[in-house]
Amino acid sequence: MCADINYQQQSDCVRRLHQLFGSEGKTHLDLACGTGPHVRFFIDNGYQSSGLDLNQPMLDLAKQRCPEAQFSLQNMCDFVVDEPYDLITCFLYSIHYSGSLEQLNACIKRVHAALKPAGVFCFNAVEKKLINNDSFVRHSVEHEGSHFVFKSGWFYGGNGDKQALKLSIEKTTNKVTEEWHDDHPMVAVGFDELTALLEPYFDVTILEHDYDKLLPWDNASGNAIFTCVKR
């Protein structure tokens, strides 16, 4: 499903942001780390990196990918750490998995507590008011003799703090096609609301969702990278 994601590009961009906004420290925690692809790139670039996730099978794969890293089965809205970090990340819009504004606020507070002074929190988010319910991303891949087609898109009903990530998978093997459909419940938030939640704890910089160029958010695009420095 993630075959078209450029994990190295994303990791390199956030490392640049950490160099610009943060300290020279190299301790890193990745929230909702999944199977650890971002953790791998941070380790390869000199970071002491670790991760947490709610899915133990994914963490098992992450440990195989990054045997030198520490991984823990924890909820990003209610996690604890032994020592504070210089950098905390949350890639792939996973901050929205917090599920509600209350839980999102709890996550922000936990991140603030888990960072060193002037530590950096970096994540990407989608603006609920600019979601196009008819827009989908589609890609395909060949895997173990089967042809897979993946589609994903955001859906927001127009009110409240609930949105969904709609997913569909088609698998064709020997001309026989199977289909799966799923909706992932997520928190919907406007960037003004999100900034208001962050600003009691962080100095917030919002950037365009471009991992090649560091550009200020134009106040019009529906996706952005948030770089937050602990106060």
Side-chain angles (χ1 to χ4, degrees):
M1 244 186 120
C2 301
D4 63 338
I5 295 173
N6 192 333
Y7 295 103
Q8 182 171 4
Q9 178 195 45
Q10 295 179 5
S11 301
D12 288 347
C13 175
V14 172
R15 285 193 301 104
R16 285 180 63 202
L17 290 171
H18 184 226
Q19 290 170 356
L20 289 170
F21 289 90
S23 66
E24 295 182 355
K26 290 293 185 74
T27 55
H28 165 239
L29 173 65
D30 190 27
L31 307 181
C33 66
T35 61
H38 294 104
V39 172
R40 180 72 266 161
F41 285 113
F42 276 93
I43 290 173
D44 291 344
N45 282 278
Y47 278 75
Q48 182 182 339
S49 189
S50 56
L52 64 83
D53 201 282
L54 275 177
N55 187 293
Q56 187 60 52
M58 283 191 174
L59 291 175
D60 294 340
L61 292 172
K63 192 63 178 177
Q64 293 177 28
R65 188 195 299 269
C66 312
E68 63 271 64
Q70 296 296 318
F71 295 98
S72 61
L73 184 69
Q74 294 197 75
N75 188 324
M76 65 181 177
C77 300
D78 189 26
F79 70 95
V80 294
V81 298
D82 295 328
E83 298 288 340
Y85 290 86
D86 298 297
L87 171 66
I88 295 179
T89 56
C90 190
F91 290 95
L92 304 178
Y93 301 102
S94 295
I95 196 76
H96 289 276
Y97 276 109
S98 50
S100 69
L101 289 178
E102 181 181 2
Q103 288 293 92
L104 176 58
N105 193 40
C107 176
I108 290 168
K109 290 180 179 179
R110 291 287 180 171
V111 170
H112 182 263
L115 281 169
K116 294 179 182 179
V120 174
F121 178 34
C122 194
F123 63 93
N124 62 340
V126 59
E127 160 64 73
K128 68 180 183 182
K129 295 186 291 292
L130 295 176
I131 287 175
N132 180 350
N133 293 337
D134 297 321
S135 177
F136 285 84
V137 175
R138 182 184 185 277
H139 74 278
S140 61
V141 64
E142 302 292 330
H143 180 69
E144 296 182 351
S146 296
H147 179 74
F148 290 86
V149 177
F150 302 98
K151 287 176 62 179
S152 63
W154 295 108
F155 180 87
Y156 179 55
N159 293 290
D161 68 348
K162 305 298 182 185
Q163 68 188 43
L165 178 63
K166 291 183 170 290
L167 301 172
S168 68
I169 304 171
E170 292 182 5
K171 176 187 177 185
T172 302
T173 308
N174 297 324
K175 298 183 179 180
V176 176
T177 299
E178 301 173 88
E179 294 186 18
W180 297 267
H181 301 275
D182 195 15
D183 288 2
H184 289 201
M186 292 188 162
V187 64
V189 63
F191 287 173
D192 52 349
E193 296 175 283
L194 184 51
T195 301
L197 290 175
L198 290 161
E199 283 189 333
Y201 309 97
F202 298 94
D203 294 322
V204 181
T205 301
I206 309 177
L207 301 169
E208 281 294 304
H209 200 264
D210 187 332
Y211 290 105
D212 287 324
K213 301 174 184 178
L214 301 184
L215 301 170
W217 181 52
D218 65 3
N219 292 287
S221 54
N223 308 280
I225 299 171
F226 282 72
T227 303
C228 312
V229 181
K230 179 175 177 175
R231 290 178 174 169

